[in-house]
Amino acid sequence: MPIRRLDPLTIDRIAAGEVIERPAAAIKELIENALDAGAKSIEVMIEAGGRRLIRVVDDGHGLDEADLALAVERHATSKLPDGDLTSIATFGFRGEALPSIASVSRLEIRTRSQGAPHGLRLLVEDGIKSTIEPCACATGARVEARDLFAATPARLKFLKSDRAEALAAADAVKRLAMAAPQARFSFSTDLGSSFDWPAAGAGEADFAERLRQALSDDFASNSVALEARREALRLSGRAGLPTFSRPNASQQFLFVNGRAVRDKTLAGALRGAYIDFLPPDRHAVAALFVECDPAEVDVNVHPAKAEVRFRDAQAVRALIVGAIKQRLSEALHRAASTGGTATILAMRAPQAFRPAPSARWDWRASPAAPRLYDEAQASFAELAVSAPTPAAPANERDLAAPLGAARAQVHGTYIIAQTSDGLVIVDGHAAHERIVYEKLKRQRDGGAIERQALLSPLVVDLEEDAAALIDDHAEELAELGLIVEGFGPGAVLVREAPAVIAQGDLAGLVRDLAADLAADDGAQSLARRLDRWLGTFACRHSVRSGRTLKPDEMNALLREMESTPGAGQCNHGRPTYVELRLADIERLFGRR
């Protein structure tokens, strides 16, 4: 078959596949054009997930007749006046958005420049441009794309359901709105939910309000503000508490100079910042805004402009990791406030589906009816399934503390504490695990972990391969305060241990370390592996489930939690306590 030149329409449709993957991509490009035009109000309306109709209306500076004629020509742009690709300060610059959309839809543009007596209309269908005609139009632009991908059915069949495409479109609008709080954003659809967010201004309070609009009140109350600088880099935004995490990364919003991006450097830095707080299967909720000199970042990596490349990626990573770790440490014991709400809903759920008893039902005839006791002869202890450990009378200082005063321990694990306006349920084992872990980290960062020699060296029997692995890593373990040595085939001798865990289950600790070494693929850094081992140390020494604590021990644990970074969750990312407000408890019992 001889080589031939493709016709212009086919060329445009092939190129459009790189820029316009789905309706959300077309919406993103049109909104970015509106923001570059200085729009203060942007309205988006879609039908059938954007396949049938996409309409974007803005109040920007509009186009005159000459610019409108060029706007739908490929690689025609007003945003590169000198052709310099090393310092791009606008969203659009490639001149591909409108011609790409026009090649896969029926595109109509109505626009009116400031001071013009009337508007102008241009229609592009099957690659053919109509003549420009006068029309009625407000200042700005109104762009409509109808029947998206109708001329390219192969692309159309790869779209998801209309509802899924509508959700993706809403997410695209939300991301752009988060970076432009000074503009009003309206989104309406025949499927799913719509929203209309008024312009919030450009101040810090306005920025926080736009994040609240986009990410909910829960995120606002369960996140920490970020503000950090490193040379010419600036980081702002909010990072969610570890206990406010999600099972996927869909609630991570990353921006560079106001541009929503998918960047491995930023995503990796965010995961690195939470590595001490979240297990691998949980993801932080965050909105991160990085600002830098446009010359320090390349936004011309991908046709959709969703990926970027930093000149100094390591500096960006260090800024993000350092800022988030510092703010999470300052948050100390804070845990997500949604835990109490989830607990209340869990208590109410069974009641919602409980059928009403029959009018003829007699509880006395039920096989599950309780036996009647003679109150004069039965004691509370006889009736109680698991009598709680009582606490000493609470003093005012403990009651005023964030985690309150310990009142009881139930089931040998959970501490019930009374606060000034509710109660707290603490998982004692999980809380102590985090406290011991942070102590060990502080000692290591201070130069050395305090060690304690065992009165009698402990011999731990292992498989031969496991014992060899422990012996091979003896020097690394010594840095953590655990002194071990080989003791013949299939055995390890423990001579010293970190002082804070010397009374713990050292045999179990050595076996856990051997299993961890056997599973280690070498991908993690030495520092991360040592941190992981410290977590194993802490887990093996923590207050074990079933151990009865005295009242002063329970209160001491609560006070230590309040002063320990990350004490709101254990080393595995689970919450260490749940707080129930008095108002929530009263609603549970119908008092409100």
Side-chain angles (χ1 to χ4, degrees):
M1 181 179 294
I3 296 175
R4 67 181 182 87
R5 291 184 180 274
L6 295 174
D7 61 90
L9 182 57
T10 302
I11 293 173
D12 287 345
R13 285 175 176 170
I14 292 173
E18 298 180 330
V19 181
I20 310 301
E21 302 172 349
R22 61 194 306 187
I27 293 169
K28 169 184 172 292
E29 297 288 350
L30 295 177
I31 294 178
E32 288 181 344
N33 279 346
L35 291 172
D36 280 339
K40 298 299 181 185
S41 176
I42 299 173
E43 299 178 2
V44 181
M45 196 273 278
I46 65 172
E47 293 180 5
R51 289 187 304 105
R52 187 184 306 145
L53 171 67
I54 295 173
R55 178 185 297 136
V56 178
V57 182
D58 69 74
D59 62 350
H61 54 60
L63 300 171
D64 59 23
E65 186 169 353
D67 285 341
L68 180 58
L70 282 173
V72 292
E73 295 291 334
R74 188 164 297 279
H75 306 311
T77 181
S78 63
K79 299 163 187 177
L80 283 177
D82 54 4
D84 184 7
L85 288 175
T86 64
S87 184
I88 297 171
T90 58
F91 289 111
F93 59 90
R94 300 172 65 104
E96 294 179 293
L98 287 176
S100 293
I101 296 171
S103 67
V104 292
S105 69
R106 186 162 63 90
L107 182 70
E108 180 188 67
I109 303 175
R110 293 173 179 258
T111 182
R112 179 179 177 182
S113 58
Q114 294 179 353
H118 55 75
L120 301 171
R121 176 180 178 271
L122 174 65
L123 180 65
V124 185
E125 190 168 7
D126 292 330
I128 301 174
K129 296 191 299 183
S130 70
T131 57
I132 296 177
E133 303 172 343
C135 70
C137 181
T139 300
R142 169 175 162 156
V143 183
E144 288 187 358
R146 294 182 179 273
D147 302 324
L148 194 67
F149 300 132
T152 54
R155 296 293 308 279
L156 191 63
K157 71 178 182 180
F158 282 103
L159 293 182
K160 297 181 180 179
S161 68
D162 288 353
R163 187 171 297 279
E165 294 297 339
L167 290 173
D171 183 71
V173 177
K174 179 168 68 174
R175 289 175 185 267
L176 289 161
M178 289 167 64
Q182 74 280 2
R184 168 184 170 251
F185 278 80
S186 170
F187 176 78
S188 59
T189 173
D190 56 340
L191 300 168
S193 58
S194 305
F195 56 82
D196 190 344
W197 297 334
E204 291 299 323
D206 303 311
F207 171 69
E209 173 61 18
R210 177 52 58 87
L211 289 187
R212 186 200 64 77
Q213 292 172 337
L215 300 179
S216 79
D217 292 331
D218 282 344
F219 175 74
S221 60
N222 291 290
S223 60
V224 293
L226 299 174
E227 184 61 47
R229 292 182 180 273
R230 184 188 179 104
E231 298 176 353
L233 294 169
R234 176 176 180 259
L235 172 68
S236 58
R238 296 190 73 87
L241 296 174
T243 46
F244 194 69
S245 62
R246 295 292 181 268
N248 56 54
S250 64
Q251 295 300 298
Q252 294 179 358
F253 303 88
L254 310 175
F255 302 84
V256 177
N257 291 342
R259 183 191 303 276
V261 298
R262 298 189 302 268
D263 181 74
K264 292 181 180 179
T265 297
L266 301 183
L270 182 58
R271 175 161 287 282
Y274 282 86
I275 203 165
D276 259 359
F277 303 98
L278 290 178
D281 60 342
R282 300 295 295 182
H283 300 264
V285 180
L288 306 184
F289 296 80
V290 176
E291 295 177 27
C292 62
D293 185 338
E296 295 298 312
V297 59
D298 183 4
V299 298
N300 193 29
V301 178
H302 188 273
K305 308 184 297 295
E307 300 175 12
V308 297
R309 183 178 294 121
F310 291 99
R311 187 184 301 274
D312 189 353
Q314 188 56 40
V316 176
R317 176 181 171 82
L319 174 66
I320 293 174
V321 173
I324 294 179
K325 279 192 171 183
Q326 179 181 347
R327 291 296 287 122
L328 291 180
S329 295
E330 292 171 354
L332 295 176
H333 70 282
R334 277 187 63 192
S337 61
T338 52
T341 303
T343 303
I344 295 296
L345 292 175
M347 291 178 177
R348 285 177 169 171
Q351 298 177 1
F353 301 99
R354 186 178 297 159
S358 168
R360 294 176 295 175
W361 180 75
D362 185 357
W363 64 270
R364 300 175 189 84
S366 171
R371 291 183 299 142
L372 298 179
Y373 284 83
D374 183 350
E375 295 183 4
Q377 298 178 357
S379 68
F380 176 78
E382 291 173 332
L383 295 174
V385 176
S386 177
T389 302
N395 59 52
E396 293 300 323
R397 185 185 63 183
D398 287 338
L399 284 174
L403 295 181
R407 307 298 288 162
Q409 180 186 17
V410 297
H411 296 294
T413 300
Y414 302 101
I415 298 170
I416 309 298
Q418 178 183 348
T419 63
S420 58
D421 62 346
L423 63 86
V424 170
I425 306 173
V426 177
D427 183 336
H429 170 73
H432 196 245
E433 182 179 334
R434 169 59 70 171
I435 290 169
V436 172
Y437 176 56
E438 293 295 334
K439 279 183 178 179
L440 289 169
K441 283 205 306 179
R442 285 197 301 271
Q443 290 182 7
R444 187 191 63 187
D445 294 341
I449 293 178
E450 182 182 349
R451 299 199 303 250
Q452 178 179 320
L454 303 185
L455 292 176
S456 299
L458 175 67
V459 178
V460 183
D461 293 322
L462 300 167
E463 297 289 336
E464 287 193 25
D465 291 344
L469 282 173
I470 293 291
D471 195 30
D472 290 343
H473 292 80
E475 291 186 10
E476 294 175 33
L477 293 172
E479 294 180 24
L480 304 181
L482 187 67
I483 307 300
V484 297
E485 60 185 54
F487 195 67
V492 169
L493 190 69
V494 181
R495 293 192 177 276
E496 298 180 47
V500 296
I501 70 167
Q503 305 304 316
D505 180 8
L506 296 181
L509 169 63
V510 172
R511 294 189 182 98
D512 287 348
L513 291 172
D516 183 78
L517 284 169
D520 189 4
D521 60 3
Q524 290 186 323
S525 66
L526 173 61
R528 178 53 194 151
R529 186 164 68 241
L530 295 179
D531 278 348
R532 191 174 71 243
W533 289 351
L534 286 183
T536 305
F537 286 19
C539 186
R540 275 294 171 181
H541 175 69
S542 300
V543 174
R544 311 308 297 175
S545 297
R547 176 187 163 192
T548 301
L549 298 178
K550 297 177 181 178
D552 57 345
E553 289 180 313
M554 290 188 280
N555 278 309
L557 180 64
L558 297 178
R559 301 294 80 79
E560 205 163 4
M561 287 177 65
E562 293 163 356
S563 61
T564 299
Q569 61 281 318
C570 73
N571 304 343
H572 310 293
R574 295 188 294 269
T576 57
Y577 73 91
V578 172
E579 183 174 7
L580 301 176
R581 301 289 184 183
L582 185 58
D584 292 331
I585 299 173
E586 289 177 340
R587 275 193 290 269
L588 184 64
F589 286 96
R591 290 179 174 269
R592 289 201 176 201

